[in-house]
Amino acid sequence: MINLLSLYALPFIIVLILTIGIVKKVPVYEEFTEGAKDGFKVAVSIIPYLVAIIVGISMFRASGAMDSIAAFLAPLLNKFSVPVDSIPIMITRSLSGSATLGLFTEIAHKFGPDAYVTKLCAIIVGSSETTFYVLSVYFGSIGIKKFRYALIVGLLADFIGIIGAILVAQKFFL
Amino acid sequence: MNYIFYFLIVFSIIFGIINGRTQEVVNAILDGADVSVKIALSLIGIMAFWLGIMRIAEKSGLVQWIAKIIKPVTKWLFNDVPPENEAIGNIALSVSANALGLTNAATPIGLRVMQELKEVNESNNNDKETASDAMCMFLAMNTAGFQIIPATVIAVLVAVGSKNPTEIIVPTLIVTAFAFVSAIILAKFFQILYKNKSNFPFVKKEVNDD
């Protein structure tokens, strides 16, 4: 049922929009191509911001800083029965979507689908969006330089999400 | 952002040298730059497709109709945007696309929303380089990443032989909904805080007054 929903959602939306367009006598082909013209411009305009954020985060990951932070946090999080192996995911989830998914796949392979750490990480990954990426690309695309409180709100919400994931995982799976 | 950028690069290099991972850090520059361009280029096609579809949705009045329906909520959430502006309808589309896990559609729609919020902000005569409250609220909703079905996660669990991968859906939904609501409340809270910021003697005023 749920899988069906996600499978049919996209085709349904497309059919709906096009049908309403035709009914309302919108020249759908002309308007489609008119709108699509901006695709290249927008995609190319976000390259500088993508490079800045992705290079920075790739370097950060490559420096091994993540492991040091994980080692530093481990004793504290152990008290709340949070597995050490889930710590890197908590750090990367705000930084990089592909890195987070990569780490999650690694953990799922290493510990198997029934391990507590796999389930905790599944919740963390499934409930998150990469704050840094979204902010730099979305603001970058329209030339906003002062983010005001957007970053702090994004990071606080991520932090609340992690706490929530730890608590919920304990209730459901421990 | 300037300090974060500086910190990410300089800290990584220094830490990499101490850690004996200088080569990896240097390689990461090239890899990161390469990946960035690949992401952007792979976006061109799908971006064009969704911008085209959305233009039809706007011309047919569908977007404005959605905006009208959700007006009671958005009037409070986005009080610096006219309630029947196209941006509001597109915000609803963007949040729905994210909720359904349609990542391919969500980014183009989201970027379009930002464009429209920028136009609203400029017509409000505000600073072009400073984020508006509506933008911060929209991105708070976006970065919280509300999702009904964590499709990618389920796919990974299935791949490693999980017998019951859907057991993850309910707990994830609880957490993601909680984080989503928290993000909205936080954004609202900071909005009020920043509005009063100009009253604080020690904080530089950042919104111009014309």
Side-chain angles (χ1 to χ4, degrees), chain A residues 9-158:
Chain A
L10 198 64
F12 175 75
I13 293 170
I14 295 170
V15 170
L16 184 76
I17 291 176
L18 281 173
T19 309
I20 293 177
I22 283 287
V23 170
K24 293 265 178 177
K25 304 229 175 337
V26 174
V28 286
Y29 176 74
E30 277 96 335
E31 292 297 348
F32 177 86
T33 46
E34 192 56 39
K37 270 183 195 160
D38 286 334
F40 184 78
K41 212 173 67 197
V42 177
V44 171
S45 73
I46 61 174
I47 290 182
Y49 308 96
L50 278 174
V51 170
I53 197 76
I54 292 181
V55 167
I57 287 164
S58 306
M59 289 174 72
F60 186 70
R61 286 179 58 212
S63 73
M66 214 86 82
D67 303 322
S68 304
I69 298 174
F72 178 74
L73 288 176
L76 175 76
L77 289 170
N78 259 334
K79 285 199 185 117
F80 300 95
S81 57
V82 177
V84 184
D85 298 280
S86 64
I87 299 172
I89 278 198
M90 295 178 186
I91 303 167
T92 46
R93 76 190 285 273
S94 305
L95 299 173
S96 158
S98 56
T100 306
L101 193 62
L103 279 174
F104 175 59
T105 312
E106 248 174 68
I107 286 172
H109 270 290
K110 197 165 153 196
F111 298 97
D114 299 316
Y116 179 63
V117 59
T118 307
K119 288 173 181 172
L120 173 62
C121 291
I123 297 176
I124 294 175
V125 177
S127 65
S128 76
E129 182 64 62
T130 40
T131 299
F132 277 94
Y133 172 84
V134 169
L135 288 188
S136 54
V137 170
Y138 279 43
F139 276 142
S141 73
I142 55 167
I144 295 285
K145 298 205 170 69
K146 289 181 191 142
F147 292 8
R148 291 173 73 219
Y149 52 90
L151 184 63
I152 180 85
V153 167
L155 292 180
L156 280 175
D158 285 348

